[in-house]
Amino acid sequence: MSRGNSQMLAAPEVLALNSLLIQVSGAKLVLDIGVFTGASSLMAALALGEGGRVLALEKSRTYGKIASRWVEG
């Protein structure tokens, strides 16, 4: 499926760096503003691990619905 706004998706290197920074900082809470497809929110949740929390904000209902497909609970 093609997305006209694909430039809004973070590069894999950026997602990996953010994940590393979350892990080494010992963060327990991440605020993700403008989630688009939810990739950055998902990576943050994986980096936080058990007990961590991601607060994801998306203005677009369309992108919010796309991102919410990857979220459980």
Side-chain angles (χ1 to χ4, degrees):
M1 177 160 67
S2 176
R3 297 254 178 256
N5 295 329
S6 62
Q7 72 275 9
M8 293 174 17
L9 183 64
E13 299 85 7
V14 172
L15 293 173
L17 177 61
N18 286 344
S19 179
L20 179 65
L21 292 172
I22 291 166
Q23 290 174 4
V24 300
S25 72
K28 297 295 179 202
L29 175 65
V30 170
L31 174 61
D32 191 9
I33 300 173
V35 300
F36 188 43
T37 62
S40 58
S41 299
L42 180 57
M43 286 296 291
L46 293 172
L48 287 169
E50 188 91 18
R53 186 171 176 197
V54 176
L55 177 59
L57 305 174
E58 176 55 62
K59 181 171 109 173
S60 165
R61 289 181 197 257
T62 301
Y63 297 143
K65 286 180 184 178
I66 292 170
S68 69
R69 289 189 293 186
W70 308 111
V71 177
E72 259 186 55

